[in-house]
Amino acid sequence: MKFFRLLTPLLLAIVAVLCFAPAAWAFCGFYVAKADTKLYNKASQVVIARDGDRTILTMANDFQGEVKDFAMVVPVPTVLQKEQVRVTQAKIIERLDAFSAPRLVEYFDPDPCAPAYPNELSAAPAPAAARSQAGSARDDASLGVTVEARFNVGEYDIVILSAKESGGLETWLKRSGYKIPRGAKQLLQPYIRSSMKFFVAKVNLDKFEQSGYQFLRPLQISYQSPKFMLPIRLGMINATTEQDLIVYILSPQGQAEITNYRTVKIPSDANIPLFVKNEFGEFYKSMFQTAYTKEDRKVGFLEYAWDMGSCDPCSAEPLTSEELKQAGVFWLDDNSASDVPVRPGFRRPLPRSNVFISRLHVRYTRDKFPEDLIFQQTANSESFQGRYVLQHPFQGELKCQAGREYKLSLPKRFEQEAQTLAKLTNWKIQDIRNKMKLSVGNLRYSWWESFLSWLRL
């Protein structure tokens, strides 16, 4: 028992050093909530693993409706063969989402009357009709469409097309049973002028029923091209509202950014009122919309940038080597990442891996994003996360002078948190103040303390 009595203060001292040493542990704190893609009714997700001019692109679809009506048309820079296309599991994208999602963390103020220690710092805040192959080829040629490849992968029937003009391509797709929305012709034309090919997928209903899956799995394609881009214009054909797109870019270098639109960091590292813990989803949606509007609705937001060998704080366990490979990381050194689990809320103290993730969030409309997204890799390995802080006041007795001064400082701090929240979200300041009284209502002030607090505001 004596040993454990000696060990306990030692462990507490170690925790204090880890949480307060600013150079090695920049964020620390306890993770309590995350803002993942479940916040949005429709949010397309794409994973791009790229090294040099080699790319593996994973596309998660948020298709809602009968699978017989599903059709995917994606411009690609080269003709793809069957070996370059596979289906993967949605769980991998869910893991990337959870790992990189903007997060809420909380700190607890120490006792201001407790003895101070030298190294301790304050916490920082329908199928097509059957036709003969010969007749089909003649019809295709008359439309200016060439079928470069045709194959089946999993529950999908895949066709790779090239075309000479958009009207012919639109006609071919409709004749072949693809339900293409009106207006496709205009948006297909720029890709044809750029000599791009078209990756076209629909569901093979028999194979889908045999698979036993309830939802369509993501498609993953591999190709080599100097073009580092993502076509988004076709996604606007039948869009009636703004579209949310989350792009996870995995690189052996550093941060990725959009070159033909500005890339800005999402507002971060803000201390906000305690009641937001129960409203974090609504907070983040409001905060994102406010920032999006402020930037004139035509930027891409960086929500997360980090070496995938670590996290601080962890909103989900870092991906294992096997999971990273399933996400498309083809250059991974098996010795560069650890598969040892880590508790959510704690950083994994590992050496740098050779996989860096950039999470980019684009909310786009046809008028503000008339071009496809063009990316570039950079050597910038600076860590960044959308991170929002709850700072709990000390709740114990405060009998010393420092404690009384601490207590008098709290109303000003609470008001600053209210003002910050109002600025970030455009919520009404009085509504925020009313909610805050409930969350800190157990802090009692004498009449003279209340008066002095008012003077300090």
Side-chain angles (χ1 to χ4, degrees), residues 89-353:
Q89 299 300 322
K91 182 179 179 181
I92 296 302
I93 299 177
E94 292 170 2
R95 292 278 285 114
L96 286 168
D97 179 23
F99 177 76
S100 62
R103 62 213 59 200
L104 184 66
V105 298
E106 59 185 0
Y107 298 94
F108 293 83
D109 288 350
D111 182 355
C113 294
Y117 295 97
N119 292 325
E120 194 169 303
L121 302 176
S122 312
R131 298 185 291 163
S132 69
Q133 290 188 358
S136 174
R138 286 195 296 272
D139 288 347
D140 296 347
S142 68
L143 294 171
V145 176
T146 301
V147 177
E148 304 285 356
R150 189 194 301 268
F151 49 86
N152 172 267
V153 176
E155 63 266 35
Y156 295 98
D157 290 331
I158 311 294
V159 181
I160 310 298
L161 305 174
S162 59
K164 294 181 180 179
E165 56 95 14
S166 59
L169 178 57
E170 182 182 40
T171 300
W172 188 96
L173 290 168
K174 290 181 177 178
R175 283 183 182 178
S176 300
Y178 296 95
K179 295 192 175 183
I180 305 302
R182 295 177 61 181
K185 177 180 177 179
Q186 178 184 355
L187 294 177
L188 290 169
Q189 186 59 47
Y191 300 111
I192 295 174
R193 286 200 301 263
S194 300
S195 300
M196 295 190 74
K197 314 305 178 186
F198 296 89
F199 173 90
V200 183
K202 65 180 176 180
V203 178
N204 183 306
L205 296 177
D206 291 336
K207 291 185 178 294
F208 180 69
E209 291 177 3
Q210 293 169 11
S211 71
Y213 290 106
Q214 294 182 329
F215 302 99
L216 295 175
R217 293 178 291 173
L219 278 161
Q220 189 175 83
I221 61 177
S222 308
Y223 58 89
Q224 190 164 350
S225 171
K227 295 180 179 179
F228 189 9
M229 56 86 72
L230 184 65
I232 63 172
R233 284 174 289 180
L234 290 180
M236 303 180 193
I237 294 176
N238 56 351
T240 57
T241 60
E242 299 161 339
Q243 306 290 297
D244 279 289
L245 172 66
I246 309 293
V247 186
Y248 312 94
I249 300 180
L250 305 174
S251 165
Q253 299 174 19
Q255 286 185 26
E257 59 189 18
I258 306 170
T259 61
N260 55 334
Y261 299 98
R262 286 193 303 122
T263 303
V264 301
K265 293 178 178 177
I266 197 72
S268 183
D269 285 327
N271 281 61
I272 54 180
L274 300 179
F275 76 83
V276 176
K277 184 174 183 178
N278 297 321
E279 302 180 20
F280 187 55
E282 291 306 311
F283 157 77
Y284 193 80
K285 287 193 291 186
S286 296
M287 190 273 299
F288 187 90
Q289 181 67 34
T290 301
Y292 168 70
T293 303
K294 181 180 178 181
E295 297 289 350
D296 197 26
R297 306 170 187 258
K298 52 184 178 183
V299 301
F301 287 99
L302 180 69
E303 292 185 321
Y304 192 81
W306 214 278
D307 181 88
M308 293 214 63
S310 65
C311 49
D312 176 18
C314 294
S315 61
E317 290 188 3
L319 277 68
T320 64
S321 300
E322 183 59 33
E323 287 176 321
L324 287 171
K325 290 176 182 177
Q326 291 179 34
V329 180
F330 53 88
W331 64 87
L332 186 64
D333 177 356
D334 289 334
N335 297 319
S336 66
S338 172
D339 293 346
V340 179
V342 60
R343 289 172 56 195
F346 291 86
R347 183 184 186 220
R348 183 203 297 277
L350 296 177
R352 286 182 56 81
S353 72

Side-chain angles (χ1 to χ4, degrees), residues 18-91:
L18 293 182
C19 286
F20 296 122
W25 299 80
F27 298 110
C28 202
F30 296 91
Y31 152 79
V32 292
K34 62 179 178 284
D36 55 23
T37 55
K38 296 182 181 69
L39 289 179
Y40 310 102
N41 292 329
K42 289 187 177 182
S44 300
Q45 298 180 78
V46 176
V47 182
I48 305 176
R50 184 173 174 91
D51 183 15
D53 62 356
R54 296 173 295 173
T55 299
I56 296 184
L57 174 68
T58 306
M59 299 166 286
N61 64 77
D62 59 352
F63 177 75
Q64 298 175 358
E66 297 291 333
V67 293
K68 65 181 179 64
D69 296 328
F70 172 83
M72 175 185 287
V73 181
V74 180
V76 291
T78 61
V79 174
L80 303 177
Q81 303 302 322
K82 182 174 182 177
E83 295 75 18
Q84 295 171 264
V85 184
R86 62 185 292 265
V87 289
T88 189
Q89 299 300 322
K91 182 179 179 181

